Amino acid sequence: MLKIKAGKDFWSGIMFLCFAIVELYIARGYSMGSSGEMGPGYFPVVLGIVLGALGALLVARAIIAGDEPVAGASIRPLLLLVASVVVFGVTIEPLGLVLSLVLTVAIAALAGRQSGPLEIALLAAALAVLSVGIFHFALLLPLPIWPAL
Amino acid sequence: MDFLTNLGTGFGVALTVTNLLYCFVGVLLGTLVGVLPGIGPVTTVAMLLPFSFTLPPESALIMLAGIYYGAQYGGSTTAILVNIPGEASSVVTTIDGHKMALAGRAGPALGIAALGSFFAGCVATVLIVVAAPPLAAIALSFGPAEYFSLMVCGLVAAIVLARGSVVKALGMMVLGLMFGLVGTDINSGIRRFTFGFRGLADGIEFVALSMAVYGLADIALNLEKKEENVEVHSRIGRVWPTWADIRHCIPAILRGTGLGSVLGVLPGGGALLAAFAAYTLEKKVAKKPRSFGDGDIRGVAAPESANNAGAQTSFIPMLTLGIPSNPTMAMMIGAMMIHGISPGPRVMTDRPGLFWGLIVSMWLGNLMLVILNLPLIGMWVKLLRMPYRLLYPSIVVFCCIGTYTVNSNLFDVYVMAFFAVFGYVCVKLECEPAPLILGFVLGPMMEENLRRSLLISRGDAMVFVQEPISLFFLIVAAGLLLVVALPGIRRTREEAMQE
């Protein structure tokens, strides 16, 4: 019995196909030129076609030859990690390194679920102090330390 | 003799106080991340890339190289004492190394790992000194067509030797090439695939991409696993192996070094493959293969020599051809580019101090590693108890600050956040990120060489098969692809990867 179960190969193929379609869609606006004088669209279009073909091959193979299911993903750690990075981006310039890192570390530590509030506070403070020491005083990188007033 | 003048130049650069210090920092950090499970050399090199910007290029590359081969030493410590490979390349060492530790022979296992690594490191350094100049000389005569075919060959070989599905690896490579094209096209000045973001005009920041894929995505995956309680066998005993042990191991170390040196040069090779192959070879040639798996000291000596040899010879294609054979080498190329050095055969002639200094520093670094490792093993063991929940927020902080400071551009931080999600999805779908990183580094160079060779030949694609060297590379690439496509060989490959 042929039963389509979307698994690792299937979704990899879909991912490649999506990238290829978006890429080709955008690349249609660039001039192709000729093979002797390639335009900015030439190489991208070749890559897009190859990637699309590979994606299609993966999808076809998954449907015909079967597929392995994707292992369970827990979204929480990933989301909190990404959130901590975004928070760093949003706060580093207005709040400065110290406060920004305290927030970043606190959110990142929540992703692991294993630290208590006290440990998170201590870790955040320690990393903030350490980073100011390393990046500001030792490496002399141009980072704002405190909120700009 | 050229050979001696070159080494003289190298010692002149490597023996300065600053460079000795950075070499020491590199191997120390390398050992540290090698010991700590959950953070590897690729992540560390990525994390330190932006800060190496503040150093002179010689010191920066010496330090980054030290991290890579230092991690090979550190990884064995964890493998032997805790049965957890601190590094992927130490996976095989756990088999016999940990059995030895259980039998109270942890000391000799650690000792032979360090001595074997040191011997392999010395041989590999000599090999680089001997092999690099002629290779670079050949590469200097390459035109754009040869370069394009060489890159195709390198990428294909990297895929064939990688783990997992070949189709997926190819896809990841093409995707990497595409990501490499984002930004302003140097020939037409058109901004490609920037989605209207000004932050992408200079392309996707390499540091942001590599930290996202090797730093953040890795953390997300590690956090899904339960933190295991680390059980350390702290009774190490005598570190120095007995004469009988050493004599017993000499052939294994020699074979491991030889095999590792060869596999390190191949694209896709490097430390990991070398260690696996060396262990398999020892089991094949041993008279009593049964003892393997029950704490045979040769099962530690061979893979540990091989991974260190492989780690070092993988610098050969990077330094002479500008072709990265593994993600760490891609990072080294990234570091050179940050410093405005274009990697390739010209590095040796244009910056002899950098080239020879780096090579000599590898030998000095290996010497430091033996000294660091044998007496200080007790200290490293204590570090093993550092829980991951304290370690990973530090990695996040480093990634954020690092990415931000490369260009002082906030956009790069968001790019990193995006690719962290992408990297996580890829690993979940069993798409290896290594070919993506290699493709990303080679993408722009590949397009440029393709464009130039076809410009010269006036659009005639036959140029790639008419030039003999170019044809050779393409035949090798096609042969490799054909070989993995054959079902019989595919099966052995899968078995070999699983072992």
Side-chain angles (χ1 to χ4, degrees):
Chain A
M1 197 179 85
L2 189 77
K3 200 173 163 192
I4 298 172
K5 257 200 203 146
K8 287 172 187 164
D9 282 4
F10 181 81
W11 287 115
S12 312
I14 295 291
M15 178 178 83
F16 290 151
L17 274 172
C18 288
F19 271 109
I21 290 167
V22 172
E23 205 254 11
L24 286 171
Y25 180 75
I26 299 175
R28 88 198 184 289
Y30 310 137
S31 83
M32 284 288 284
S34 64
S35 58
E37 241 168 297
M38 280 184 209
Y42 197 100
F43 195 53
V45 166
V46 173
L47 291 182
I49 292 169
V50 174
L51 188 65
L54 289 169
L57 178 65
L58 274 171
V59 171
R61 203 176 64 177
I63 292 172
I64 296 163
D67 204 351
E68 268 177 69
V70 182
S74 47
I75 298 299
R76 188 192 134 107
L78 180 69
L79 278 187
L80 282 169
L81 274 179
V82 170
S84 74
V85 173
V86 173
V87 164
F88 176 85
V90 174
T91 56
I92 177 73
E93 281 177 359
L95 292 186
L97 190 61
V98 175
L99 296 178
S100 175
L101 282 189
V102 169
L103 288 172
T104 308
V105 173
I107 299 171
L110 286 174
R113 243 194 252 247
Q114 281 154 330
S115 303
L118 181 68
E119 196 180 81
I120 293 179
L122 285 176
L123 183 67
L127 281 176
V129 171
L130 201 71
S131 306
V132 172
I134 297 176
F135 302 114
H136 181 69
F137 290 108
L139 295 175
L140 306 171
L141 292 172
L143 285 160
I145 304 298
W146 295 108
L149 293 174
Chain B
M1 224 176 113
D2 264 7
F3 185 74
L4 290 177
T5 359
N6 290 337
L7 279 184
T9 320
F11 273 104
V13 173
L15 279 177
T16 58
V17 179
T18 338
N19 288 339
L20 275 176
L21 184 75
Y22 282 111
C23 183
F24 181 73
V25 171
V27 295
L28 190 70
L29 273 175
T31 314
L32 179 72
V33 301
V35 169
L36 291 170
I39 173 169
V42 192
T43 317
T44 317
V45 173
M47 279 180 0
L48 289 179
L49 265 186
F51 309 112
S52 71
F53 191 41
T54 54
L55 306 175
E58 286 81 10
S59 313
L61 286 173
I62 284 173
M63 180 177 76
L64 295 178
I67 293 172
Y68 184 43
Y69 57 80
Q72 311 308 325
Y73 279 75
S76 61
T77 310
T78 335
I80 292 166
L81 294 177
V82 217
N83 202 20
I84 297 173
E87 247 15 275
S89 56
S90 313
V91 173
V92 271
T93 311
T94 57
I95 305 171
D96 281 288
H98 190 61
K99 281 274 162 55
M100 283 182 73
L102 290 177
R105 304 224 312 138
L110 291 165
I112 204 78
L115 290 177
S117 296
F118 178 66
F119 174 77
C122 295
V123 172
T125 307
V126 173
L127 204 70
I128 300 178
V129 174
V130 176
L135 249 179
I138 296 172
L140 270 178
S141 67
F142 285 4
E146 282 87 356
Y147 253 106
F148 178 80
S149 304
L150 173 64
M151 286 178 201
V152 172
C153 183
L155 283 172
V156 167
I159 285 161
V160 171
L161 294 172
R163 277 179 298 178
S165 149
V166 176
V167 184
K168 283 184 190 173
L170 268 174
M172 289 302 273
M173 180 202 88
V174 178
L175 201 53
L177 291 170
M178 270 184 189
F179 288 165
L181 298 183
V182 173
T184 312
D185 173 37
I186 43 166
N187 283 318
S188 61
I190 288 177
R191 286 184 183 174
R192 294 188 289 184
F193 308 107
T194 57
F195 296 90
F197 291 118
R198 251 197 315 164
L200 285 177
D202 290 329
I204 296 170
E205 175 56 48
F206 177 63
V207 172
L209 176 68
S210 48
M211 287 215 260
V213 173
Y214 284 104
L216 298 173
D218 244 24
I219 296 176
L221 290 161
N222 283 334
L223 287 179
E224 286 180 2
K225 297 179 214 146
K226 270 205 162 166
E227 193 162 343
E228 292 154 49
N229 262 336
V230 176
E231 216 178 292
V232 183
H233 282 266
S234 35
R235 275 199 55 245
I236 296 168
R238 248 168 63 100
V239 174
W240 206 251
T242 59
W243 251 119
D245 280 338
I246 295 180
R247 257 210 316 268
H248 193 44
C249 281
I250 285 176
I253 290 177
L254 286 176
R255 277 190 294 264
T257 305
L259 196 61
S261 303
V262 174
L263 290 177
V265 181
L266 298 182
L272 178 65
L273 183 71
F276 275 93
Y279 189 78
T280 318
L281 178 72
E282 275 321 297
K283 241 166 74 179
K284 286 247 163 71
V285 298
K287 288 208 182 83
K288 279 184 280 178
R290 286 257 181 83
S291 60
F292 279 91
D294 287 323
D296 192 309
I297 194 163
R298 290 169 296 172
V300 176
E304 282 304 315
S305 315
N307 71 22
N308 205 41
Q312 266 174 271
T313 52
S314 62
F315 279 84
I316 293 178
M318 192 279 283
L319 283 170
T320 55
L321 308 172
I323 304 277
S325 53
N326 56 41
T328 316
M329 290 304 117
M331 309 272 161
M332 300 290 290
I333 286 188
M336 282 196 193
M337 287 175 169
I338 289 180
H339 283 101
I341 303 166
S342 51
R346 258 173 240 290
V347 174
M348 193 186 296
T349 41
D350 292 356
R351 315 214 39 148
L354 173 88
F355 186 89
W356 297 107
L358 178 62
I359 291 169
V360 170
S361 86
M362 288 188 199
W363 185 76
L364 292 173
N366 270 290
L367 197 62
M368 289 183 200
L369 279 165
V370 174
I371 297 166
L372 262 181
N373 268 278
L374 290 184
L376 294 181
I377 277 172
M379 195 186 91
W380 296 125
V381 171
K382 287 211 181 73
L383 270 173
L384 268 175
R385 298 203 171 94
M386 169 140 171
Y388 192 64
R389 65 173 196 278
L390 299 182
L391 178 66
Y392 81 83
S394 331
I395 303 176
V396 174
V397 166
F398 252 84
C399 289
C400 288
I401 298 179
T403 302
Y404 174 61
T405 48
V406 188
N407 305 314
S408 291
N409 188 350
L410 281 177
F411 189 79
D412 291 341
V413 178
Y414 303 128
V415 168
M416 179 169 76
F418 171 81
F419 280 112
V421 179
F422 169 77
Y424 176 86
V425 172
C426 285
V427 176
K428 278 284 160 191
L429 295 176
E430 279 179 0
C431 294
E432 287 275 322
L436 179 94
I437 295 287
L438 299 186
F440 180 80
V441 171
L442 290 179
M445 283 193 264
M446 227 170 145
E447 185 186 24
E448 192 46 32
N449 281 305
L450 176 68
R451 195 180 253 162
R452 265 193 231 155
S453 24
L454 288 180
L455 189 68
I456 296 169
S457 75
R458 293 184 198 164
D460 184 6
M462 290 306 283
V463 65
F464 296 109
V465 271
Q466 278 158 357
E467 300 287 337
I469 298 175
S470 164
L471 178 66
F472 168 76
F473 287 135
L474 287 181
I475 289 176
V476 173
L480 282 170
L481 271 183
L482 203 68
V483 160
V484 277
L486 295 175
I489 294 176
R490 197 158 72 201
R491 224 170 296 125
T492 22
R493 174 173 168 270
E494 271 155 23
E495 275 163 20
M497 297 291 175
Q498 262 160 15
E499 215 179 305

